[in-house]
């Protein structure tokens, strides 16, 4: 029982916190928004905060802290070696996950670097439920490769499947049996990021870990998005267990757990934990080489204090239901108004289906990138393109097109209110009615075509969109 409902019984997204400290934001008029996105090369990564009203690019490092976290930062024990803050965070991690050894790193990809350095050799393979960019980058740098073993149901954009992040168990068994000698470890990703923050069931996590254990293969949990995943296990799979019990059962099954504390723990940093002393010592050598002394590992000590407190919040059923409740509200209101989104709503954010929104824009003109730019012009909200622009190139001569073409509207935790979401919903409904005005984008001749490179609009549709906005909204911002 952690849901508040309207008298009509529909769920009510209700903020379960009060605001202590605020940051002013700016909603520039539509004329400035067109200018700003043009200056940014129609790429939302290149906008600066002064031009952004709702920053829904990511949930990374932008989650609001509590008064208790901010207070804890003031008592941080600043010491290069042997800070007491390390002991505090270590004890909190052991309390929650039951693991003995803790290594700090500066963020999630740094943990992935340490893991790959320690365990991946040339020619090795890392099976996973689904790939994530930073994880596979580190594995390939070591000469290893990965294979995604997601159950096909996970790639259907619209369904009512509660756990789209599950492994295809048959494929997992077959790989574990045929490739056993070159498998470095199996990576299990909670809250599967690139398929829309979709959860993996506790059943699938435990089964994957068990299959590994039977074969003497190491299981590694990427817990960066575990917070939302815990909420979904509690509400969709194991209502009889507490969040702490669910966490402990998962942790007990895994050999190594790591996470980006930019997401999990409401802070900024990275954490690796294990019970295996030999693995701990092997990884520790790399932490001191690449991150910092192993009692801070490149993190600010203050952030470590904040994470130690924030971890308690990730174990709080009401707190962790907030993100999913707000995302679910945003998705439901958009669907109701004819905007296609990935369903069921997951954690992380609302994912708008760009191919359905702007069916007239060909893949070669980046529908999701175009829609992200148009959403910014219509609302001052920046989302993230998840499509062709972001797609890794396997063959340098062949441009890959996005399989999904989504615009992600991430939901930073405890940051935006329902009235701000209502504003965004209104602007998206307007944009949907005017979607025919939105045109495509292209990279200028000779551009490097990296996901944060500048693009240009094909024709002056941004101006036309702003003119229509002005006509319809008169003197409103
Ligand atoms: C964000 C993320 C990472 C990488 O973490 P950073 O702190 O951004 O380096 C790794 N795995 C998953 C699932 C993530 O969402």
């Amino acid at each position: 029982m952690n849901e508040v409902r309207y008298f009509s019984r529909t769920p009510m997204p209700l903020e379960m916190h009060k605001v202590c400290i605020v940051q002013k934001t700016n909603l520039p008029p539509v004329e400035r928004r067109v200018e700003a996105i043009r200056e940014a090369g129609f790429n939302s990564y290149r906008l600066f905060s002064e031009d952004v009203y709702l920053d829904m690019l990511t949930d990374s490092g932008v989650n609001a802290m509590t008064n208790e976290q901010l207070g804890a930062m003031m008592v941080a024990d600043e010491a290069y070696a042997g800070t007491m803050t390390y002991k505090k965070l270590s004890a909190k991690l052991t309390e929650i996950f039951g693991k003995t050894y803790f290594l700090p790193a500066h963020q999630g990809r740094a943990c992935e670097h340490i893991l790959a350095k320690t365990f991946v050799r040339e020619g090795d393979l890392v099976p996973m439920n689904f790939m994530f960019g930073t994880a596979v980058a580190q594995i390939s740098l070591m000469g290893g490769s990965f294979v995604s073993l997601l159950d096909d149901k996970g790639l259907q954009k619209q369904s009512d499947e509660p756990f789209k992040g599950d492994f295809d168990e048959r494929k997992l068994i077959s790989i574990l049996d045929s490739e056993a000698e070159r498998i470095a470890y199996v990576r299990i990703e909670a809250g599967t990021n690139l398929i829309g923050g979709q959860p993996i069931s506790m059943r699938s996590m435990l089964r994957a870990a068990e299959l590994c254990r039977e074969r003497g293969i190491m299981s590694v949990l990427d817990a960066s998005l575990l917070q939302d995943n815990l909420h979904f296990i509690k509400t969709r799979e194991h209502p009889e267990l507490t969040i702490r019990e669910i966490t402990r059962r998962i942790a007990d099954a895994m050999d190594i757990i790591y996470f980006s504390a930019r997401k999990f723990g409401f802070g900024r940093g990275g954490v690796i934990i294990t019970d295996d002393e030999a693995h701990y010592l092997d990884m520790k050598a790399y932490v001191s080489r690449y991150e910092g002394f192993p009692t801070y590992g490149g993190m600010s000590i203050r952030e470590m204090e904040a994470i130690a407190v924030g971890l308690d919040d990730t174990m709080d059923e009401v707190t962790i239901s907030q993100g999913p409740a707000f995302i679910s509200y945003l998705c439901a209101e958009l669907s109701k108004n004819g905007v296609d989104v990935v369903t069921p709503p997951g954690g992380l954010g609302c994912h708008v289906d760009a191919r359905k929104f702007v069916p007239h824009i060909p893949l070669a003109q980046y529908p999701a990138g175009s829609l992200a730019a148009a959403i910014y012009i219509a609302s001052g909200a920046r989302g993230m393109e998840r499509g062709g622009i972001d797609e890794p190139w396997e063959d340098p001569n062949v441009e890959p097109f996005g399989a999904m073409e989504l615009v992600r509207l991430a939901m930073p935790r405890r940051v935006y209110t329902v009235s701000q979401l209502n504003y965004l919903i209104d602007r998206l409904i307007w944009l949907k009615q005017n979607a025919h005005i939105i045109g495509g984008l292209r990279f200028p001749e000779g551009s490097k075509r990296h996901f944060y490179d500048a693009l240009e609009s094909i024709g002056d549709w941004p101006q036309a969109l702003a003119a229509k906005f002005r006509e319809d909204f008169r003197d409103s911002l």
Side-chain angles (χ1 to χ4, degrees), residues 107-109 112 132 134 189 193 222 224-225 260 262-263:
Q107 66 183 92
R109 67 200 68 186
E112 289 162 341
F132 187 71
T134 57
E189 183 181 317
N193 192 324
D222 178 350
S224 303
L225 300 181
S260 166
R262 298 178 64 83
K263 292 135 186 193

Side-chain angles (χ1 to χ4, degrees), residues 273-291:
I273 49 178
T274 183
D275 270 334
D276 187 310
E277 189 181 7
H279 288 159
Y280 161 74
L281 292 172
D282 289 345
M283 290 188 282
K284 191 174 174 182
Y286 288 117
V287 169
S288 60
R289 192 173 310 165
Y290 292 109
E291 296 296 307

Side-chain angles (χ1 to χ4, degrees), residues 292-314:
F293 193 79
T295 55
Y296 75 93
M299 267 194 272
S300 120
I301 307 274
R302 291 185 175 196
E303 290 289 347
M304 292 171 73
E305 284 282 347
I307 295 163
V309 175
L311 284 173
D312 273 330
D313 276 352
T314 65

